[in-house]
Amino acid sequence: MSASRTALVTGAAQGIGAAIALRLAREGYDLVVTRRRIDGLHATVQAIESLGRRAHAVELDLRDQTSIERAFAAAVEAFGTLDVLVNNAGVTLRRSALEVSRQEWDDVIAVSLSGTFFASQQMGRHLVATARPGSIVSLASTHGLIGLAERSTYGIAKGGIIQMTRMLAIEWAAHGIRVNAIAPGTVETPSRKAYFDARPDARRALLARVPSARFGLPEEVAAAVAYLASPDAAYITGQTLVLDGGLTAA
């Protein structure tokens, strides 16, 4: 068994997930990185290894319980144990509540909410079985804290993650398992930047609601995840840390 700390990050091919994986690698973690299709993880794996850490890519479909169980088994086989789980993967949807189809609802909930729960369950089972403390950090959103038109399904899923964080933290505290969440506002990932570059009016409208007058960066979300996963946050559990430039305080 490796003496290094190990972490599993879902949805780590790009954007926030890749930034989280690289930040944890810089903090000394070996990484298991997942994606629904494993071929998209090559760049993340290379970047982690360039930092001198080990990386193992695993295919994971969060809609499929068998896939979740296999992914965690592969992670444990690769590194011996897991210390941290970061639930980053999710599905977004912009649609009027009057127009959301049952299939769209099921897709968002299956990945963003159910997938987060059952991945956390696998992590909890692993830590309890090995009698080890550990940390789970899930990506929620400010959409889970405030109302916004055309975001109902996504916001409901993210609100569920916030409440799930409280529930699991209480249930697993006696095992030394800490469970927390991050609720970012708008984060300017490469794909989001491309979206805004083509829609400058949408950028201005969103920025007008943010007191800090800028969007967040993937690296800032990654820094918050690294903190909550670290021993420095040993007395923090059941909490959701909001990173939104003051949006929800206004």
Side-chain angles (χ1 to χ4, degrees), residues 109-147:
I109 297 300
V111 176
S112 299
L113 186 56
S114 299
T116 295
F117 176 83
F118 286 106
S120 298
Q121 181 189 67
Q122 286 300 122
M123 182 66 170
R125 287 173 173 173
H126 167 69
L127 293 171
V128 170
T130 56
R132 293 172 58 89
S135 176
I136 298 171
V137 183
S138 301
L139 270 290
S141 168
T142 53
H143 291 317
L145 296 167
I146 59 175

Short mmCIF file of all heavy atoms in Angstrom, two decimals, residues 109-147:
data_model
loop_
_atom_site.label_atom_id
_atom_site.label_comp_id
_atom_site.label_asym_id
_atom_site.label_seq_id
_atom_site.Cartn_x
_atom_site.Cartn_y
_atom_site.Cartn_z
N ILE A 109 -30.74 14.23 -12.84
CA ILE A 109 -30.80 13.67 -11.49
C ILE A 109 -29.92 12.42 -11.38
O ILE A 109 -29.23 12.21 -10.37
CB ILE A 109 -32.25 13.34 -11.10
CG1 ILE A 109 -33.09 14.62 -11.07
CG2 ILE A 109 -32.30 12.64 -9.74
CD1 ILE A 109 -32.62 15.69 -10.11
N ALA A 110 -29.92 11.59 -12.42
CA ALA A 110 -29.16 10.33 -12.36
C ALA A 110 -27.67 10.57 -12.18
O ALA A 110 -26.99 9.85 -11.43
CB ALA A 110 -29.41 9.51 -13.63
N VAL A 111 -27.13 11.57 -12.87
CA VAL A 111 -25.69 11.83 -12.77
C VAL A 111 -25.39 12.77 -11.60
O VAL A 111 -24.59 12.45 -10.72
CB VAL A 111 -25.16 12.44 -14.08
CG1 VAL A 111 -23.69 12.81 -13.94
CG2 VAL A 111 -25.35 11.47 -15.24
N SER A 112 -26.04 13.93 -11.58
CA SER A 112 -25.66 14.98 -10.63
C SER A 112 -26.03 14.65 -9.19
O SER A 112 -25.28 14.99 -8.27
CB SER A 112 -26.31 16.30 -11.04
OG SER A 112 -25.88 16.71 -12.32
N LEU A 113 -27.17 14.00 -8.97
CA LEU A 113 -27.61 13.73 -7.61
C LEU A 113 -27.44 12.26 -7.23
O LEU A 113 -26.72 11.93 -6.30
CB LEU A 113 -29.07 14.15 -7.44
CG LEU A 113 -29.64 14.06 -6.02
CD1 LEU A 113 -28.81 14.86 -5.03
CD2 LEU A 113 -31.09 14.53 -6.00
N SER A 114 -28.07 11.36 -7.98
CA SER A 114 -27.96 9.93 -7.65
C SER A 114 -26.52 9.46 -7.78
O SER A 114 -26.02 8.72 -6.93
CB SER A 114 -28.88 9.10 -8.55
OG SER A 114 -30.22 9.47 -8.38
N GLY A 115 -25.85 9.88 -8.84
CA GLY A 115 -24.46 9.46 -9.03
C GLY A 115 -23.56 9.94 -7.91
O GLY A 115 -22.68 9.21 -7.43
N THR A 116 -23.78 11.18 -7.46
CA THR A 116 -23.00 11.71 -6.34
C THR A 116 -23.26 10.91 -5.07
O THR A 116 -22.34 10.61 -4.32
CB THR A 116 -23.34 13.20 -6.13
OG1 THR A 116 -22.91 13.94 -7.28
CG2 THR A 116 -22.67 13.75 -4.89
N PHE A 117 -24.53 10.57 -4.84
CA PHE A 117 -24.85 9.78 -3.64
C PHE A 117 -24.19 8.42 -3.67
O PHE A 117 -23.53 8.00 -2.70
CB PHE A 117 -26.36 9.61 -3.47
CG PHE A 117 -26.71 8.71 -2.31
CD1 PHE A 117 -26.76 9.22 -1.02
CD2 PHE A 117 -26.94 7.35 -2.50
CE1 PHE A 117 -27.05 8.39 0.06
CE2 PHE A 117 -27.23 6.52 -1.42
CZ PHE A 117 -27.29 7.04 -0.14
N PHE A 118 -24.33 7.70 -4.78
CA PHE A 118 -23.83 6.32 -4.80
C PHE A 118 -22.31 6.24 -4.90
O PHE A 118 -21.71 5.28 -4.40
CB PHE A 118 -24.53 5.52 -5.89
CG PHE A 118 -25.95 5.18 -5.52
CD1 PHE A 118 -27.01 5.83 -6.12
CD2 PHE A 118 -26.22 4.25 -4.53
CE1 PHE A 118 -28.33 5.54 -5.75
CE2 PHE A 118 -27.51 3.96 -4.15
CZ PHE A 118 -28.57 4.60 -4.76
N ALA A 119 -21.67 7.27 -5.49
CA ALA A 119 -20.21 7.33 -5.41
C ALA A 119 -19.78 7.59 -3.97
O ALA A 119 -18.83 6.96 -3.47
CB ALA A 119 -19.69 8.42 -6.33
N SER A 120 -20.47 8.47 -3.29
CA SER A 120 -20.17 8.74 -1.87
C SER A 120 -20.40 7.49 -1.03
O SER A 120 -19.63 7.20 -0.11
CB SER A 120 -21.04 9.89 -1.36
OG SER A 120 -20.77 11.08 -2.06
N GLN A 121 -21.45 6.76 -1.34
CA GLN A 121 -21.72 5.51 -0.61
C GLN A 121 -20.57 4.53 -0.76
O GLN A 121 -20.13 3.91 0.22
CB GLN A 121 -23.01 4.88 -1.13
CG GLN A 121 -23.41 3.60 -0.41
CD GLN A 121 -24.56 2.90 -1.12
OE1 GLN A 121 -24.42 2.41 -2.24
NE2 GLN A 121 -25.72 2.88 -0.46
N GLN A 122 -20.05 4.38 -1.99
CA GLN A 122 -18.92 3.47 -2.20
C GLN A 122 -17.69 3.93 -1.43
O GLN A 122 -16.97 3.12 -0.84
CB GLN A 122 -18.59 3.37 -3.69
CG GLN A 122 -19.57 2.55 -4.50
CD GLN A 122 -19.64 1.10 -4.02
OE1 GLN A 122 -20.71 0.61 -3.65
NE2 GLN A 122 -18.53 0.41 -4.04
N MET A 123 -17.46 5.24 -1.43
CA MET A 123 -16.32 5.78 -0.67
C MET A 123 -16.53 5.53 0.81
O MET A 123 -15.60 5.11 1.53
CB MET A 123 -16.18 7.27 -0.95
CG MET A 123 -15.00 7.92 -0.26
SD MET A 123 -13.41 7.29 -0.88
CE MET A 123 -12.28 8.44 -0.10
N GLY A 124 -17.74 5.77 1.31
CA GLY A 124 -18.02 5.53 2.72
C GLY A 124 -17.82 4.08 3.10
O GLY A 124 -17.23 3.77 4.15
N ARG A 125 -18.29 3.18 2.27
CA ARG A 125 -18.11 1.75 2.54
C ARG A 125 -16.64 1.37 2.59
O ARG A 125 -16.21 0.59 3.45
CB ARG A 125 -18.84 0.92 1.47
CG ARG A 125 -20.35 0.93 1.59
CD ARG A 125 -20.99 0.23 0.41
NE ARG A 125 -22.45 0.09 0.59
CZ ARG A 125 -23.27 -0.35 -0.34
NH1 ARG A 125 -22.80 -0.69 -1.55
NH2 ARG A 125 -24.56 -0.46 -0.09
N HIS A 126 -15.86 1.93 1.65
CA HIS A 126 -14.42 1.64 1.63
C HIS A 126 -13.74 2.12 2.91
O HIS A 126 -12.96 1.39 3.53
CB HIS A 126 -13.78 2.30 0.42
CG HIS A 126 -12.29 2.34 0.45
ND1 HIS A 126 -11.51 1.21 0.33
CD2 HIS A 126 -11.43 3.39 0.62
CE1 HIS A 126 -10.24 1.55 0.42
NE2 HIS A 126 -10.16 2.86 0.59
N LEU A 127 -14.05 3.35 3.32
CA LEU A 127 -13.39 3.91 4.50
C LEU A 127 -13.82 3.19 5.77
O LEU A 127 -12.99 2.94 6.66
CB LEU A 127 -13.70 5.40 4.61
CG LEU A 127 -13.09 6.28 3.51
CD1 LEU A 127 -13.63 7.70 3.59
CD2 LEU A 127 -11.56 6.28 3.58
N VAL A 128 -15.09 2.84 5.88
CA VAL A 128 -15.55 2.12 7.07
C VAL A 128 -14.92 0.73 7.12
O VAL A 128 -14.46 0.27 8.18
CB VAL A 128 -17.09 2.02 7.08
CG1 VAL A 128 -17.57 1.07 8.17
CG2 VAL A 128 -17.70 3.41 7.29
N ALA A 129 -14.86 0.05 5.97
CA ALA A 129 -14.30 -1.31 5.93
C ALA A 129 -12.82 -1.33 6.27
O ALA A 129 -12.32 -2.29 6.87
CB ALA A 129 -14.52 -1.92 4.55
N THR A 130 -12.10 -0.26 5.92
CA THR A 130 -10.67 -0.20 6.18
C THR A 130 -10.35 0.55 7.48
O THR A 130 -9.17 0.70 7.82
CB THR A 130 -9.93 0.46 5.01
OG1 THR A 130 -10.50 1.76 4.76
CG2 THR A 130 -10.05 -0.38 3.74
N ALA A 131 -11.40 1.02 8.16
CA ALA A 131 -11.24 1.75 9.43
C ALA A 131 -10.28 2.93 9.28
O ALA A 131 -9.43 3.18 10.13
CB ALA A 131 -10.76 0.81 10.54
N ARG A 132 -10.46 3.68 8.20
CA ARG A 132 -9.62 4.84 7.94
C ARG A 132 -10.47 6.10 7.90
O ARG A 132 -11.61 6.08 7.42
CB ARG A 132 -8.92 4.69 6.57
CG ARG A 132 -7.89 3.58 6.51
CD ARG A 132 -7.42 3.39 5.07
NE ARG A 132 -6.85 4.60 4.51
CZ ARG A 132 -5.56 4.95 4.61
NH1 ARG A 132 -4.72 4.17 5.28
NH2 ARG A 132 -5.11 6.05 4.06
N PRO A 133 -9.94 7.22 8.36
CA PRO A 133 -10.64 8.49 8.16
C PRO A 133 -10.53 8.90 6.70
O PRO A 133 -9.67 8.41 5.96
CB PRO A 133 -9.89 9.46 9.07
CG PRO A 133 -8.50 8.90 9.11
CD PRO A 133 -8.65 7.40 9.06
N GLY A 134 -11.38 9.80 6.28
CA GLY A 134 -11.32 10.26 4.90
C GLY A 134 -12.18 11.48 4.70
O GLY A 134 -12.85 11.96 5.63
N SER A 135 -12.18 12.00 3.48
CA SER A 135 -12.90 13.22 3.17
C SER A 135 -13.62 13.08 1.84
O SER A 135 -13.06 12.55 0.87
CB SER A 135 -11.93 14.40 3.11
OG SER A 135 -12.58 15.59 2.72
N ILE A 136 -14.86 13.58 1.80
CA ILE A 136 -15.64 13.65 0.57
C ILE A 136 -15.99 15.11 0.34
O ILE A 136 -16.49 15.78 1.24
CB ILE A 136 -16.92 12.81 0.67
CG1 ILE A 136 -16.58 11.33 0.87
CG2 ILE A 136 -17.79 13.00 -0.58
CD1 ILE A 136 -17.78 10.45 1.18
N VAL A 137 -15.71 15.60 -0.86
CA VAL A 137 -16.06 16.96 -1.24
C VAL A 137 -16.87 16.89 -2.53
O VAL A 137 -16.40 16.32 -3.52
CB VAL A 137 -14.83 17.86 -1.45
CG1 VAL A 137 -15.27 19.29 -1.77
CG2 VAL A 137 -13.92 17.84 -0.23
N SER A 138 -18.07 17.45 -2.50
CA SER A 138 -18.96 17.40 -3.67
C SER A 138 -19.16 18.81 -4.23
O SER A 138 -19.22 19.79 -3.48
CB SER A 138 -20.31 16.80 -3.29
OG SER A 138 -20.17 15.50 -2.78
N LEU A 139 -19.29 18.89 -5.55
CA LEU A 139 -19.55 20.17 -6.21
C LEU A 139 -21.04 20.40 -6.29
O LEU A 139 -21.75 19.71 -7.03
CB LEU A 139 -18.93 20.19 -7.61
CG LEU A 139 -17.49 20.70 -7.71
CD1 LEU A 139 -17.44 22.20 -7.46
CD2 LEU A 139 -16.56 19.97 -6.77
N ALA A 140 -21.50 21.38 -5.52
CA ALA A 140 -22.88 21.83 -5.62
C ALA A 140 -22.88 23.07 -6.53
O ALA A 140 -22.14 23.12 -7.51
CB ALA A 140 -23.45 22.12 -4.23
N SER A 141 -23.69 24.07 -6.21
CA SER A 141 -23.75 25.27 -7.04
C SER A 141 -24.58 26.31 -6.32
O SER A 141 -25.45 25.98 -5.49
CB SER A 141 -24.39 24.95 -8.39
OG SER A 141 -24.72 26.13 -9.11
N THR A 142 -24.39 27.58 -6.66
CA THR A 142 -25.28 28.61 -6.15
C THR A 142 -26.71 28.40 -6.65
O THR A 142 -27.66 28.89 -6.04
CB THR A 142 -24.81 30.02 -6.55
OG1 THR A 142 -24.61 30.06 -7.97
CG2 THR A 142 -23.51 30.37 -5.85
N HIS A 143 -26.87 27.65 -7.74
CA HIS A 143 -28.22 27.31 -8.22
C HIS A 143 -28.96 26.44 -7.21
O HIS A 143 -30.19 26.34 -7.26
CB HIS A 143 -28.15 26.58 -9.56
CG HIS A 143 -27.70 27.45 -10.69
ND1 HIS A 143 -28.15 28.73 -10.88
CD2 HIS A 143 -26.82 27.21 -11.71
CE1 HIS A 143 -27.58 29.26 -11.96
NE2 HIS A 143 -26.77 28.36 -12.47
N GLY A 144 -28.24 25.81 -6.31
CA GLY A 144 -28.87 25.03 -5.25
C GLY A 144 -29.24 25.86 -4.03
O GLY A 144 -29.83 25.36 -3.07
N LEU A 145 -28.89 27.16 -4.08
CA LEU A 145 -29.14 28.06 -2.95
C LEU A 145 -30.15 29.15 -3.26
O LEU A 145 -30.83 29.65 -2.36
CB LEU A 145 -27.82 28.72 -2.52
CG LEU A 145 -26.74 27.79 -1.97
CD1 LEU A 145 -25.41 28.53 -1.88
CD2 LEU A 145 -27.14 27.24 -0.61
N ILE A 146 -30.22 29.57 -4.52
CA ILE A 146 -31.12 30.65 -4.92
C ILE A 146 -31.93 30.20 -6.13
O ILE A 146 -31.55 29.27 -6.84
CB ILE A 146 -30.35 31.94 -5.25
CG1 ILE A 146 -29.35 31.70 -6.38
CG2 ILE A 146 -29.65 32.49 -4.01
CD1 ILE A 146 -28.63 32.96 -6.85
N GLY A 147 -33.05 30.87 -6.35
CA GLY A 147 -33.88 30.53 -7.50
C GLY A 147 -33.44 31.27 -8.76
O GLY A 147 -32.93 32.39 -8.70
#
